[in-house]
Structure formats: C-alpha cells, structure tokens
Amino acid sequence: MSRSERLLDLIQILRRHRRPVSGLVLAGELDVSIRTLYRDIATLQGQGAPIEGEPGLGYVLKPGFMLPPLMFTDEEIEAIVLGSRWVAKQPDARLSAAATDALAKIAAVLPDDLRDELDATALLVGPSEAASRESVDLGVIRKAIRAERKLEMTYEDASGARSWRTVWPFALGFFDKVRVMAAWCEMRQDFRHFRADRISDLAATEQRYPRRRAAMLKEWRATLDTSRKL
C-alpha cells in the first residue's frame, strides 16, 4: 500500500469512529507502527485535516471534512452507482431526485479516470413487480424521523378498520412492493409497523417525542432479535 493510500484509509477509519480512538487501535487497523501512525496524523493535520487529539488521549476527525479529490475502489464505485440507481427508481419522488443529484455531485469531483468508471458501471437495477403507491408524502415521514417529531395519521389495517394514531417514527423501510414505517404507537404503547400505502391524513407536528431515535431503533432491533429466537 502506498503512503497516499494509507492516508486515505486513515481518514476513512477516523470517519467511522464518532468518539476519540487510540493511536494503538488506528495503527492496528492500518497494520503500521505507532510511530508511523503519529507521522501520518501529523501529515494530515498539516494538510488541513481537522484531526483533534494527542497520544494517550486518542484522535477524532471533526465532522464535515472532505479530502478532495474523492477516491474510490472499483467495488465502491459499483456500490454507489447500484445503490443510487435503486433509490432513483423508488416512488418517493424527492428521494429519487436526491439520489440522481448526489451521483452527479460525486461524479463532478472525481478524477477523470474514476468518472469514466462511474459512467461505465454495468450493474443495473432490473424491473420489479408493481409496487403499491402511497397517497402521502414520504418526505414528511423522513423529515419527522430526522427531527424526532411526532406524526398524526389515520391508519387502515389489513381488515379495513381505520383508526387515528399518534406515532413516534424512527425508521422507514423500503421494500420492492411497499414502504413500511417503524414507530412507537401511543395508542398501542408498543412498537408497530405501518405500511405507507395504508396511511392517510398524515400530519406533521412540532412535538418532539421524549426519546432519542437511536435508542428506540436499538430497542426495536432487540425485540426483533428476541422474536427470531423464540
């Protein structure tokens, strides 16, 4: 591995860690000596990378840093293109447009040879069975998830019964045929899954729900793991 590749790898490793990580851990992941790791960090700091920390305390990369030009492996490019093409075919119009725009922005800052690879990627997203269409704006759900805000809505279950719900949305699942919102339901006082095509009268609120989204997501996943073991 060249030194430039190692420096890029170091940036990527630091991006994966939200909290300070020790030099020994970083050196181990890069398979270099601790002295080499310290020199690499000093080099990146000298080039403007906002890496904070010191030996014995650990290092953290401040959010928002980008090291131009962007560099990707062949498989990383394939993953980016395939994922963007899949999202672009989803019925969520704003998310679809965002995927196309994001791919264009990435292409604009890639070196010429990598841009050619991006354009020539032969991984395609094939047609799927007809998906259900929602009458509500999925962007409202996504915004509520990001802001940790309650939603109010009418929901129709599989038997056709309708009920008014106040929910705390924390995840939105995209499947070939349906989109499913995972949320805490105030009426049921439990986690529930709501098919987006059965939601109507969706209304955003300014009420912040009393728990953190990440905590609910973790607890919800634990309930799924438990049910699989039963």
Side-chain angles (χ1 to χ4, degrees), residues 148-207:
E148 299 181 340
R149 295 294 190 270
K150 295 182 181 182
L151 289 173
E152 295 178 342
M153 66 183 189
T154 298
Y155 189 69
E156 181 177 321
D157 65 20
S159 65
R162 294 164 67 86
S163 57
W164 178 254
R165 310 284 186 107
T166 298
V167 299
W168 310 352
F170 57 85
L172 184 61
F174 287 77
F175 301 89
D176 282 342
K177 293 184 179 180
V178 297
R179 269 58 55 197
V180 178
M181 174 178 66
W184 177 268
C185 178
E186 290 190 356
M187 184 176 78
R188 300 299 187 191
Q189 286 295 295
D190 200 357
F191 294 116
R192 286 291 186 270
H193 302 136
F194 301 96
R195 283 180 47 156
D197 59 325
R198 295 177 180 170
I199 296 173
S200 59
D201 305 317
L202 180 67
T205 77
E206 291 303 316
Q207 291 180 278

Side-chain angles (χ1 to χ4, degrees), residues 40-107:
D40 287 348
I41 287 177
T43 297
L44 289 172
Q45 289 172 328
Q47 294 176 353
I51 300 173
E52 296 181 345
E54 58 184 74
L57 296 178
Y59 297 90
V60 63
L61 179 68
K62 293 178 67 175
F65 174 70
M66 181 173 292
L67 189 65
L70 291 176
M71 300 295 291
F72 296 104
T73 65
D74 291 341
E75 289 188 340
E76 287 171 342
I77 288 177
E78 289 177 341
I80 290 169
V81 173
L82 187 61
S84 297
R85 287 174 176 171
W86 186 85
V87 173
K89 288 196 172 187
Q90 295 303 303
D92 186 331
R94 281 190 285 178
L95 201 61
S96 174
T100 302
D101 291 344
L103 195 57
K105 287 180 180 179
I106 292 173

